[in-house]
Amino acid sequence: MANQVTDLHKAWETTENPELSSEVQSLKEKLGEHSKQLELSAEKLNQLQMENAALRDKNKAPNTASNKKRRFNTRV
């Protein structure tokens, strides 16, 4: 049912108002471009989060060793 309404609406747009149809097409293209940019940004964010986690883990090991050494020195 929803598809039929959408199809009728599209048919009305193209026959009754070609300027509106052109504007709708332009907006759809912009939406497509923005969707692609958003997808690329999400991928980049995911990559940066993974790199951040790896660096955090790499940094955690020296800090843990330093903390253990510091605790040992304070007890002695």
Side-chain angles (χ1 to χ4, degrees):
M1 179 70 176
N3 286 340
Q4 291 174 336
V5 172
T6 303
D7 291 343
L8 287 172
H9 191 243
K10 286 180 185 175
W12 176 82
E13 283 178 353
T14 55
T15 57
E16 293 295 319
N17 197 343
E19 287 179 15
L20 180 60
S21 178
S22 175
E23 187 174 341
V24 167
Q25 185 60 35
S26 174
L27 290 172
K28 284 180 181 179
E29 289 170 5
K30 285 181 183 179
L31 179 61
E33 291 170 13
H34 290 172
S35 294
K36 288 176 188 174
Q37 289 176 351
L38 181 59
E39 189 175 327
L40 290 174
S41 295
E43 289 174 8
K44 182 70 174 178
L45 176 60
N46 189 35
Q47 177 187 359
L48 290 172
Q49 287 173 331
M50 289 179 1
E51 289 176 16
N52 189 32
L55 290 171
R56 192 180 310 122
D57 290 345
K58 186 177 179 181
N59 193 28
K60 189 183 278 187
N63 286 339
T64 302
S66 176
N67 289 341
K68 285 181 181 177
K69 191 183 289 186
R70 193 177 309 127
R71 276 182 282 197
F72 177 76
N73 289 337
T74 57
R75 289 182 192 166
V76 174

